[in-house]
Amino acid sequence: MKLIVAVVQDQDSNRLSTSLTKNDFRATKLASTGGFLRSGNTTFLIGTDDSLVPKALELIRENCRSRDQMVAPVSPMGGNADSYIPYPVEVEVGGATVFVLPIEHFHHF
């Protein structure tokens, strides 16, 4: 058994959630916030059998594409102003950050 933790951009979360449901994967969605852009993310917790991990990863890959976006960085609050960039920059957003963890025990009560 594995636990897949997938952090995806909010724009991709509904599409991924629908795809996971259609393919009989159960997932828990958690609201999260990215550290660099401080933008909204969704973290999916997906428990599945080892044999289904490749299918789950395929669904994540298909539904969570990266794209370039212009963003205005948030000003530093109490941080070092030397590293603050005061103008919009183009960054790559989207995609997914995925962790696959082994599960020693699983209980459903």
Side-chain angles (χ1 to χ4, degrees), residues 5 13 26 33 38-39 42 47 53-54 56 62 65 67 87 92:
V5 179
S13 68
R26 295 184 185 186
T33 303
R38 296 186 177 99
S39 61
T42 301
V53 169
E62 289 173 355
R65 294 288 179 193
R67 55 200 156 274
Y87 49 86
E92 185 177 305

Side-chain angles (χ1 to χ4, degrees), residues 74-85:
V74 178
S75 64
M77 300 286 277
N80 185 353
D82 295 336
S83 63
Y84 174 63
I85 302 170

Side-chain angles (χ1 to χ4, degrees), residues 6-8 10 13 28-34 39-45:
V7 181
V8 305
D10 280 344
S13 68
T28 298
K29 290 172 51 173
L30 305 172
S32 53
T33 303
S39 61
N41 293 325
T42 301
T43 300
F44 286 84
L45 303 177

Side-chain angles (χ1 to χ4, degrees), residues 6-92:
V7 181
V8 305
Q9 192 177 35
D10 280 344
Q11 286 178 256
D12 298 325
S13 68
N14 286 336
R15 188 172 49 251
L16 177 59
S17 182
T18 300
S19 182
L20 289 170
T21 301
K22 284 182 180 178
N23 287 275
D24 297 323
F25 285 98
R26 295 184 185 186
T28 298
K29 290 172 51 173
L30 305 172
S32 53
T33 303
F36 176 65
L37 298 175
R38 296 186 177 99
S39 61
N41 293 325
T42 301
T43 300
F44 286 84
L45 303 177
I46 307 161
T48 190
D49 290 324
D50 292 5
S51 63
L52 296 175
V53 169
K55 179 62 178 174
L57 293 176
E58 177 186 333
L59 294 173
I60 295 167
R61 188 177 298 109
E62 289 173 355
N63 290 283
C64 302
R65 294 288 179 193
S66 61
R67 55 200 156 274
D68 292 332
Q69 178 178 321
M70 294 298 287
V71 297
V74 178
S75 64
M77 300 286 277
N80 185 353
D82 295 336
S83 63
Y84 174 63
I85 302 170
Y87 49 86
V89 294
E90 188 174 51
V91 296
E92 185 177 305

